[in-house]
Amino acid sequence: MKNRKNLLSLAAVAALMVLAGCASKPDSYYTLASAVPAAEAAPSTLGTAAPLYIELAPVAVPERLARPQMVVGRPGGSVQVDVLEQHRWAASFENELQDALASGIAARLGALDVTKGGRPSAQPVWRIAVQVRRFDAVDGGRVDAGFNWTLRRSDEPRTLVCQLDAGEAVAGGIDAVAQGAQRITAAAAAAIARSVNAARADPSATLCAA
């Protein structure tokens, strides 16, 4: 009888240890969005004679990244990557990236993002389509990304093709990787906003200035 009680006690302790282990590892969620510095923000064009509207198409990303889990490479040039179940973007990566880019571009242009509607039908809109060629992160190494995008104003036939390569060294830890990814996303939003301003300034331009 005594042995049975001991076994039951050990089983209860083991169960509590398992539950404690599960409870000690909550998921961490990260965002790619960041506040736009005051020096980069533009006053709103709404209510002016030439309001500015942007529309960002769904962002195309490599299939391996199209998930909420963070995908991190291993150091030393390893061909292996880790899909981090407990470190996730706030939404699936492509949706998180689209939201962060759209808000960053709109703030830098003083524009209204009408991706999900809200544009007066008579007003032209700058349509932006972004493709991510790569977005590679290594814990304690670097975050490197390559972006292509096209610009087209809805009432013009021309299409401008642009690209950007950006990279940053990051410290160890997944928080540092997420912060590096956030900074690169902000750099891409700034480059896209500059290309829209350049295209607006020169209606005859056919080459993208990023």
Side-chain angles (χ1 to χ4, degrees):
M1 188 71 175
K2 184 177 181 181
N3 287 339
R4 185 180 177 187
K5 286 183 177 179
N6 287 340
L7 287 173
L8 289 172
S9 297
L10 288 172
V13 170
L16 288 172
M17 290 177 67
V18 169
L19 289 172
C22 293
S24 65
K25 296 180 180 179
D27 291 347
S28 298
Y29 293 90
Y30 301 89
T31 181
L32 288 169
S34 59
V36 175
E40 296 181 29
S44 176
T45 61
L46 298 183
T48 69
L52 183 60
Y53 299 93
I54 65 165
E55 183 179 276
L56 185 62
V59 176
V61 303
E63 186 63 29
R64 70 181 182 280
L65 300 176
R67 62 183 74 231
Q69 298 93 334
M70 293 181 68
V71 179
V72 177
R74 297 183 180 182
S78 173
V79 297
Q80 291 183 297
V81 297
D82 294 314
V83 179
L84 306 181
E85 290 293 339
Q86 292 182 317
H87 296 276
R88 297 173 175 243
W89 300 113
S92 190
F93 178 73
E94 68 276 21
N95 295 330
E96 180 68 20
L97 185 57
Q98 181 182 13
D99 289 345
L101 288 174
S103 61
I105 295 165
R108 288 172 172 86
L109 293 173
L112 178 65
D113 173 23
V114 295
T115 299
K116 297 177 182 177
R119 173 177 65 95
S121 58
Q123 293 287 347
V125 59
W126 282 95
R127 295 194 169 116
I128 306 165
V130 178
Q131 177 189 31
V132 177
R133 288 182 277 110
R134 63 182 184 127
F135 207 108
D136 302 323
V138 176
D139 185 3
R142 293 182 59 81
V143 178
D144 291 291
F147 300 86
N148 295 342
W149 67 93
T150 58
L151 299 177
R152 186 175 69 83
R153 196 169 120 147
S154 58
D155 59 349
E156 294 181 357
R158 64 172 175 158
T159 298
L160 288 78
V161 180
C162 320
Q163 68 175 23
L164 173 73
D165 290 289
E168 283 204 22
V170 294
I174 301 304
D175 284 6
V177 171
Q179 289 163 3
Q182 188 182 74
R183 290 192 296 270
I184 284 179
T185 301
I192 295 170
R194 289 195 299 271
S195 67
V196 173
N197 274 333
R200 292 169 65 205
D202 184 0
S204 65
T206 56
L207 295 177
C208 183

